[in-house]
Amino acid sequence: MKALRNYLDKIKPDFEHGGKYEKLWSFFDGFETFLFVPNSTSGRKGVQIHDSVDSKRVMSIVVLALIPALLVGMYNVGYQHFLAIGESADFFSTFFYGFLAVLPKIIVSYAVGLGIEFAIAQVKHHEIQEGFLVSGMLIPMIVPVDTPLWMIAVATAFAVIFAKEIFGGTGMNIFNVALITRAFLFFAYPSKMSGDSVFIRTESMFGFGGGQPVEGFSGATPLSYAAAGKDLVGITGEPISWWDSFLGLIPGSIGETSTLAILIGALILLATGVASWRIMLSVFAGGAIMAQIVYMAGGSTLDMGYQITLGGFAFAAVFMATDPVTGCRTNIGKYIYGFLIGVIAIIIRVFNLGYPEGAMLAVLLMNIFAPLIDFYVVDANIKRRLKRANA
Amino acid sequence: MTNVVKLKKGLDINLKGKPQEKCLEPLQSDTYVMIPDNFHGVIPKVIVKAGDKVLAGTPLMFDKNHPEVKFVSPFSGEVVSVDRGERRKVLGIVIKKDVQNGCVDFGKKNVSSMSAEEVKALMLESGVWPFIKQRPYDVIADPAVAPRDIFVTGFDSAPLAPSIDYVAKGEEANIQTALDALCKLTQGKVYVGLRQDSSLKLKNVECVTIEGPHPAGNAGIQAHNIKPVNKGQTIWTLSIFDLIIIGRLFNNGSVDFSRIVAVTGSEIQTPCYVKAYPGAKLSDLIGSNIVKSDYKQRFISGNVLTGESVGNDGRINFYHNQITVIPDGSDEHEFVGWALPGLAKYSTTRTYLTWLFGGNKQYTIDARLRGGKRALIVSGQFEEVFPMDIYPEFLYKATLAFEIDKMENLGIYEVAPEDFALCEFVDVSKTELQKVMRQGLDALLKEMN
């Protein structure tokens, strides 16, 4: 490590102002702080010691929490693939196919997003902000497996520039960046984001796998069956049980299918205290209550068990709604914010037949209202304090 | 029975280097320095020059905005120099102490027979007035404004803070005299916030038991939870450590600014107490009582949350009862520290695995920021360590933007920068909250007067 440190110290002047690689300063700085914890110390006045946690640590915990859902998602991509082409494959090949299918999406998302971040950090001459470490991992997980790479690239660029950087970068954005990517894809290229043909990949990946779909194959997701009022069936027509939807062996966006894996991620986020349990709990509560009301009133064939495990609901509750930047920042506001996300997600699902899934739109909608909710929570505090003064 | 305030929010950082209950005789400094910057908001007008002989209690300077507030020499000796910096700013008044211990005679007083005006005049004249701070703005109290109430913090809850029970030993009479004097200065009450196990028995004042972690010892926190300050009201706040000095004035008829200072921190061999005068050199207070090291050490006047890094040859602040020495950390390069499990790293979040093994371990924390500065990302962090009915993040943002209406509504008049110290410690985004709050309060004071 000492040699590496010495080498960095040696080349550092080249990247600083006036050096020959001055234009790559942000890149060097990002790389250096990635390798070594910055050794800058507290100022002369004020707090002299600091908590060990920093934004890099927080972001990397979120990425870590996403890994179980990603791995199961990869396996499921392979599983659905071999199911669709009617071949049996061992565990390793199944996972390997999914890995090959998903990896390019991760690479494209990170390359495009981080590329823009580096460029903007250089122009504004500030440090690389690590917010995109999370967004870049979320984006490939919330798209169908057959979404073309160029679309992901375009949507990612759009989201990073227009949803984040024009507002001032990480911490300043109003909307969840990953969800803006998905919304952009959803409205710009609807045929590649929903329907029957995008959730299962039947072609080969780099010469691996591939084949003709079996007879009776349908790539529709369970939620689209539910929206059409039909029974839930898998891609080859076999019925889907609640356990299938909980474990995640059903068609759907890459990382969203396995509620179990998502809950493992939730456990990591809650144990480390990175995500707000208030938001997470109230999204599930809002969704469950609304789903049960709708079910009992006959509005939907799915009870709350299915509504929560199917589609992107659990993923949105655990990873999207809990984004601290775009959510409510007061503790009371968090309950309201989360509850309404759960309620609205189910309402969109059940009552708007055009959109089988409502979690994305619910989170984006509540992103807009988060500051308003906070405003009223803080206003109540102000009124209470004024009352105290007049008493 | 006395009132009890139970605080749940807050944080006690378990640092290594708590002072043991023994008092050492420190080295005598050649010179002592009165630093005007110790008195926030004061515009100093120096009235001595090099070569002048001074006694304990001889005025050295006064505040241009409040000429009646005098700042006096803590002992007898000779003014060596008046150091000035850019634009003739006074950096310090250097005094060489002599051995005669001469002092200005203010006359022994019986507080109970004095009027409020007499008490005030004596305190202003003798240089103990600056111990009284006021809310709003957290500056030296304006003598022209009568306070609604006076709040005395009866203990220090900061990391490694000196114990009042130890420091106050033998000074109980002085504390009581000072409290009696304060009672004269307000129509309201004098509140003293004490720990439950405090051995101090105080009369004529309202004692309140404060339970809970730091910042339970902060004046703002105590006042907020006992009787909050509203817009248009003024309260005065003092530390019980300073009452000792105020009480001596009335009981002895002369000033004695010597204090028992806690020498603390993980870099001190035997953390303990020493007797010191304000403006003493840190290295003289520490002497050889320091861990030999080949790395950089940080010398702090005050505690690790609100203190100032002044260096080995720096001077102890007029108000401080504590000095802290910790590793600096600027010569440390930690490889991919953010990615490691982190078994020994202190964090209030559970993002490092320390919390699984921590227990009652005492931590050595160096002065590194441990991360880059960012916009505020994580929410709900500040509230956990801010035991007031105030939204610290929203107040901070209003202060940053200097929106006066919002600042007032959100509680700017109740807070001091020190109340934000723990927020600054836990902040993931490494924001300088205390600095922003200080600037905001200063700007507001200017705007309102």
Side-chain angles (χ1 to χ4, degrees), chain A residues 359-383:
Chain A
M360 167 188 86
L361 294 169
V363 175
L364 285 176
L365 185 68
M366 288 313 294
N367 281 173
I368 302 176
F369 285 106
L372 186 71
I373 297 170
D374 276 344
F375 174 84
Y376 280 107
V377 172
V378 173
D379 199 48
N381 174 272
I382 291 171
K383 291 221 174 82

Side-chain angles (χ1 to χ4, degrees), chain B residues 44-87:
Chain B
K45 173 75 187 164
V46 180
I47 46 181
V48 290
K49 53 184 191 304
D52 283 1
K53 295 264 187 264
V54 292
L55 300 173
T58 306
L60 299 175
M61 58 178 216
F62 62 83
D63 182 3
K64 272 186 187 164
N65 292 333
H66 298 282
E68 64 275 29
V69 180
K70 304 255 184 350
F71 301 86
V72 303
S73 171
F75 38 68
S76 66
E78 186 184 329
V79 177
V80 177
S81 62
V82 177
D83 295 343
R84 290 178 185 270
E86 272 175 44
R87 299 169 68 196

Side-chain angles (χ1 to χ4, degrees), chain B residues 123-144:
Chain B
M123 289 180 73
L124 285 165
E125 193 55 39
S126 61
V128 299
W129 188 265
F131 288 124
I132 307 177
K133 299 268 193 95
Q134 67 163 46
R135 297 289 156 100
Y137 311 121
D138 191 38
V139 291
I140 293 172
D142 181 350

Side-chain angles (χ1 to χ4, degrees), chain B residues 14-28:
Chain B
N14 198 6
L15 291 181
K16 197 177 158 213
K18 286 190 178 46
Q20 297 168 9
E21 299 209 339
K22 63 173 180 181
C23 194
L24 301 180
E25 200 60 39
L27 301 174
Q28 290 298 318

Side-chain angles (χ1 to χ4, degrees), chain A residues 133-372:
Chain A
L133 287 182
V134 173
S135 309
M137 187 57 102
L138 286 170
I139 290 167
M141 292 176 73
I142 53 175
V143 295
V145 69
D146 251 0
T147 305
L149 292 178
W150 69 266
M151 284 185 193
I152 293 179
V154 170
T156 304
F158 173 84
V160 169
I161 294 169
F162 289 99
K164 185 153 115 182
E165 291 303 338
I166 61 164
F167 289 102
T170 301
M172 308 286 194
N173 46 314
I174 294 172
F175 295 109
N176 187 311
V177 178
L179 281 181
I180 288 292
T181 310
R182 193 178 194 281
F184 181 88
L185 288 169
F186 189 79
F187 291 109
Y189 312 108
S191 66
K192 289 292 177 190
M193 281 302 286
S194 55
D196 300 350
S197 60
V198 292
F199 288 99
I200 310 296
R201 190 175 178 86
T202 51
E203 286 152 38
S204 68
M205 279 314 300
F206 307 109
F208 185 78
Q212 285 303 312
V214 294
E215 208 165 308
F217 163 80
S218 161
T221 60
L223 275 182
S224 57
Y225 283 115
K230 295 181 194 157
D231 288 341
L232 304 185
V233 290
I235 53 174
T236 49
E238 79 286 354
I240 288 179
S241 73
W242 183 81
W243 279 105
D244 292 332
S245 65
F246 182 73
L247 296 175
L249 298 178
I250 50 170
S253 293
I254 294 167
E256 296 179 342
T257 55
S258 173
T259 310
L260 176 67
I262 291 165
L263 288 180
I264 295 173
L267 209 64
I268 296 174
L269 290 180
L270 294 179
T272 52
V274 164
S276 162
W277 61 268
R278 291 182 177 88
I279 293 181
M280 224 184 266
L281 183 79
S282 48
V283 177
F284 279 115
I289 291 169
M290 193 64 209
Q292 203 57 19
I293 292 171
V294 172
Y295 177 68
M296 291 192 323
S300 167
T301 54
L302 300 176
D303 65 9
M304 65 180 192
Y306 277 107
Q307 290 283 22
I308 281 172
T309 53
L310 290 177
F313 186 87
F315 194 86
V318 173
F319 295 111
M320 296 298 184
T322 54
D323 172 11
V325 174
T326 55
C328 274
R329 299 187 72 85
T330 58
N331 285 343
I332 301 168
K334 281 171 186 166
Y335 290 116
I336 303 168
Y337 170 78
F339 191 82
L340 288 178
I341 287 178
V343 169
I344 292 170
I346 301 299
I347 290 178
I348 296 176
R349 246 187 211 181
V350 174
F351 296 109
N352 191 329
L353 300 181
Y355 303 130
E357 177 53 296
M360 167 188 86
L361 294 169
V363 175
L364 285 176
L365 185 68
M366 288 313 294
N367 281 173
I368 302 176
F369 285 106
L372 186 71

Side-chain angles (χ1 to χ4, degrees), chain A residues 34-37 39-40 42 44 48 51-53 57 128 130 270-272 329 334 381 384-385 388, chain B residues 230 298 304 308-309 330 334 336 338 340 346-348 350-351 367 369 374 378 389 393 411 414 430:
Chain A
F34 177 86
L35 287 175
F36 292 97
V37 176
N39 66 338
S40 54
S42 315
R44 183 182 162 93
Q48 304 285 321
D51 195 297
S52 296
V53 71
R57 185 70 179 184
I128 305 280
E130 37 288 283
L270 294 179
T272 52
R329 299 187 72 85
K334 281 171 186 166
N381 174 272
R384 189 163 66 239
R385 299 162 51 75
R388 186 191 78 191
Chain B
N230 298 309
R298 177 171 276 233
V304 287
E308 184 180 1
S309 165
S330 59
E334 196 185 342
V336 290
W338 56 275
L340 300 174
Y346 186 88
S347 177
T348 52
R350 294 183 298 266
T351 52
L369 288 178
R374 298 287 181 269
V378 177
D389 184 22
E393 183 187 323
E414 296 189 52
K430 315 292 175 191

